Amino acid sequence: MLTKRIIPCLDIKDGRTVKGINFENIRDAGDPVELGALYAAQGADELVFLDITATNERRKTLAELVTDIARHINIPFTVGGGISSVADVSVLLQSGADKISVNTSAFRNPELIDQLSREFGSQCIVLAIDTRFEDGDWYVYLNGGRVKTDIKAFDWAKEAVNRGAGEILLTSMNNDGTKKGFALDITGQLAQQLNVPVIASGGAGNMEHFQEVFEVAQADAALAASIFHYKEIEIPALKTFLYNNGVNIRF
Amino acid sequence: MKTVIIKYNAGNIRSLQFALERLGVNGIVTDDHEEIRSADKVIFPGVGEASTAMQYLKERNLDKVIADLKQPVLGICLGMQLLCRYSEENDTPCIGVFDVDVKKFQSPVENLLKIPQIGWNNIANLHSVLFEHVPENSYMYFVHSYYAALGADTVAITNYVINYSASLQKDNFYAVQFHPEKSAEAGARIIQNFLNI
């Protein structure tokens, strides 16, 4: 049976992981390759590397990093952040990334999703959506949550899937950082009404939150960052918990 | 030992090369007929669409070269599907080593089944040297919309609403639908088992 996936997310700036990370058992917690390999060894099902560097040198550095990750890590990984063209994606996939994620650039130019899925296949195109609940609905936000749009998250997700997005990575800005649990309603709406996998993101604070997003919202995967980096939840313990509570996971 | 990865228009072979490298093996990527024929082990990878891939192989006569190989051959993902008789993906006659057809997943109820299947699923009824020291129900990483049906050559089964061939084997031809190069330790074990044949 296909399992639910647990996905740690690593933010990368200038080739280094950001956010204070307190692992004593690895030499260099700022090294994305070493941290990624540790998560893989602990049983993470996939990894997401989000590049937040904003320089022109970015692409070259990122491609080198992706090669280094692919060389050392034996589970699938997605690379996102500032990707806006077929050429960007081609370089990253050839460097060894399994999937790429697009966000603002795809919203500004939806045709990009059609181009990418035609060129590389839907299976490697993840659409990331940042969304906030206000005035009675969930709206799409761009540029890392700084720019509001008047388009509803569900409508955009549906259009993107029709254009060829193979997965949706949905981050609830209301929940992100609160540690009060994932946004079950919008995650559930997407997971149950779209025929592509939905990765829930934002709000994980304890192990029950993961169980809830899998069982109630029927998310296909759940992503988290700081709770893993700060070891508030460790992946082996999380997987044991989910397994013991009847969630179908790789164990 | 010479290990060759067949180069064609389908796929992302970087991960496969790196997986071999982690096992201390240099995978030579080539479409040269002599290089392929003279290899000890041949890997036929692939991520992509069946009809374009078959057309590319035929134009270069690679379909015949592959079918005539006598050394161990490992088909992965689309590589496995192309070794079957026929694929529903754009109505494509394939190489025909394995006597099964490739079909598209069908959701019994709308939106119940997400297609492609993306993620980790377990493999069972393992009976091939490929799975030596690989426990029953080990999890492997799958990404696919089409599947090879069950048949006489099936040596591992996976379920995604229906049971289908996770792995096929006939004579010197071995094939897996999942990506062993992305399937953590269990996947590396399978690649090592193939290299050990």
Side-chain angles (χ1 to χ4, degrees):
Chain A
M1 220 173 133
L2 187 68
T3 65
K4 304 291 188 183
R5 289 170 276 154
I6 302 292
I7 308 179
C9 177
L10 287 76
D11 284 350
I12 307 294
K13 192 173 184 194
D14 301 319
R16 307 276 298 165
T17 53
V18 294
K19 292 186 179 172
I21 293 168
N22 58 354
F23 282 102
E24 307 89 33
N25 49 345
I26 60 177
R27 277 180 295 118
D28 179 4
D31 177 358
V33 177
E34 201 168 355
L35 186 59
L38 175 72
Y39 284 136
Q42 286 184 340
D45 297 302
E46 259 179 69
L47 299 170
V48 169
F49 294 88
L50 194 59
D51 185 46
I52 57 171
T53 318
T55 67
N56 293 333
E57 286 298 299
R58 188 189 66 82
R59 201 168 305 153
K60 185 163 168 280
T61 324
L62 185 59
E64 284 166 8
L65 176 62
V66 167
T67 302
D68 212 20
I69 294 166
R71 191 184 295 276
H72 292 99
I73 292 179
N74 58 10
I75 60 170
F77 68 95
T78 301
V79 179
I83 295 168
S84 59
S85 70
V86 170
D88 290 349
V89 172
S90 180
V91 167
L92 295 172
L93 294 179
Q94 281 173 31
S95 301
D98 298 285
K99 312 179 201 179
I100 58 86
S101 77
V102 287
N103 189 331
T104 304
S105 59
F107 187 89
R108 299 277 188 218
N109 171 25
E111 180 65 22
L112 179 65
I113 300 174
D114 304 71
Q115 290 168 357
L116 294 176
S117 68
R118 261 199 313 270
E119 188 81 17
F120 309 107
S122 288
Q123 81 289 337
C124 61
I125 312 302
V126 180
L127 176 75
I129 301 176
D130 295 325
T131 184
R132 181 190 286 278
F133 185 80
E134 54 197 359
D135 306 327
D137 217 321
W138 291 91
Y139 290 90
V140 177
Y141 272 70
L142 304 176
N143 298 92
R146 292 188 300 276
V147 178
K148 181 185 187 310
T149 74
D150 56 3
I151 302 296
K152 292 174 183 171
F154 181 78
D155 296 340
W156 170 224
K158 197 169 178 185
E159 180 187 341
V161 169
N162 289 336
R163 287 177 178 275
E167 264 181 301
I168 304 287
L169 165 54
L170 182 76
T171 302
S172 160
M173 294 164 59
N174 303 68
N175 300 63
D176 203 19
T178 63
K179 298 191 183 174
K180 288 183 176 165
F182 295 93
L184 299 178
D185 55 348
I186 185 66
T187 304
Q189 193 191 356
L190 265 62
Q192 290 160 51
Q193 294 184 32
L194 301 177
N195 61 358
V196 301
V198 173
I199 304 164
S201 159
N206 60 42
M207 299 195 199
E208 287 79 5
H209 292 151
F210 286 89
Q211 183 182 1
E212 198 172 66
V213 82
F214 291 141
E215 287 184 347
V216 178
Q218 296 178 37
D220 300 277
L223 176 143
S226 51
I227 52 158
F228 294 138
H229 302 329
Y230 291 109
K231 289 202 290 188
E232 288 165 32
I233 293 180
E234 297 200 64
I235 292 168
L238 174 59
K239 289 199 131 181
T240 305
F241 170 85
L242 292 171
Y243 180 82
N244 289 339
N245 282 279
V247 177
N248 185 28
I249 49 127
R250 179 173 69 111
F251 189 67
Chain B
M1 188 177 76
K2 180 170 163 187
T3 304
V4 152
I5 300 171
I6 297 178
K7 178 179 160 188
Y8 67 119
N9 62 335
N12 182 341
I13 47 165
R14 204 71 192 269
S15 307
L16 180 59
Q17 277 184 290
F18 286 143
L20 290 172
E21 191 184 290
R22 289 194 290 271
L23 297 170
V25 172
N26 175 36
I28 302 162
V29 180
T30 181
D31 58 2
D32 182 88
H33 293 189
E34 272 322 299
E35 280 268 62
I36 295 170
R37 286 196 192 102
S38 66
D40 298 294
K41 299 279 155 49
V42 175
I43 302 182
F44 181 35
V47 173
E49 192 275 320
S51 68
T52 3
M54 271 313 294
Q55 194 189 338
Y56 184 99
L57 293 171
K58 281 183 173 171
E59 281 165 10
R60 287 154 185 81
N61 232 4
L62 281 166
D63 57 329
K64 300 280 190 311
V65 172
I66 293 168
D68 291 340
L69 291 173
K70 296 289 176 269
Q71 62 275 62
V73 177
L74 177 64
I76 298 177
C77 197
L78 181 65
M80 161 161 149
Q81 298 184 359
L82 297 181
L83 288 171
C84 295
R85 192 166 50 198
Y86 162 85
S87 173
E88 278 184 7
E89 189 171 18
N90 292 314
D91 198 16
T92 306
C94 297
I95 295 172
V97 168
F98 301 118
D99 202 20
V100 292
D101 290 342
V102 175
K103 302 172 182 175
K104 183 158 193 184
F105 284 124
Q106 300 291 348
S107 187
V109 179
E110 198 185 353
N111 287 343
L112 178 74
L113 193 67
K114 301 193 175 187
I115 300 166
Q117 172 179 220
I118 299 181
W120 298 81
N121 203 333
N122 55 322
I123 57 171
N125 284 3
L126 311 178
H127 50 280
S128 161
V129 287
L130 281 185
F131 304 115
E132 211 161 290
H133 305 298
V134 176
E136 277 287 319
N137 291 311
S138 289
Y139 285 98
M140 298 294 155
Y141 189 75
F142 290 82
V143 181
H144 61 128
S145 301
Y146 292 81
Y147 66 92
L150 298 178
D153 304 328
T154 302
V155 291
I157 292 174
T158 292
N159 183 281
Y160 193 53
V161 171
I162 52 136
N163 285 333
Y164 65 92
S165 296
S167 178
L168 294 165
Q169 185 192 323
K170 185 181 184 182
D171 307 325
N172 56 318
F173 288 89
Y174 302 78
V176 291
Q177 177 59 62
F178 51 86
H179 288 276
E181 74 277 19
K182 282 289 162 182
S183 296
E185 296 308 317
R189 179 76 244 177
I190 290 169
I191 298 174
Q192 185 64 63
N193 287 340
F194 172 71
L195 296 172
N196 290 349
I197 292 168

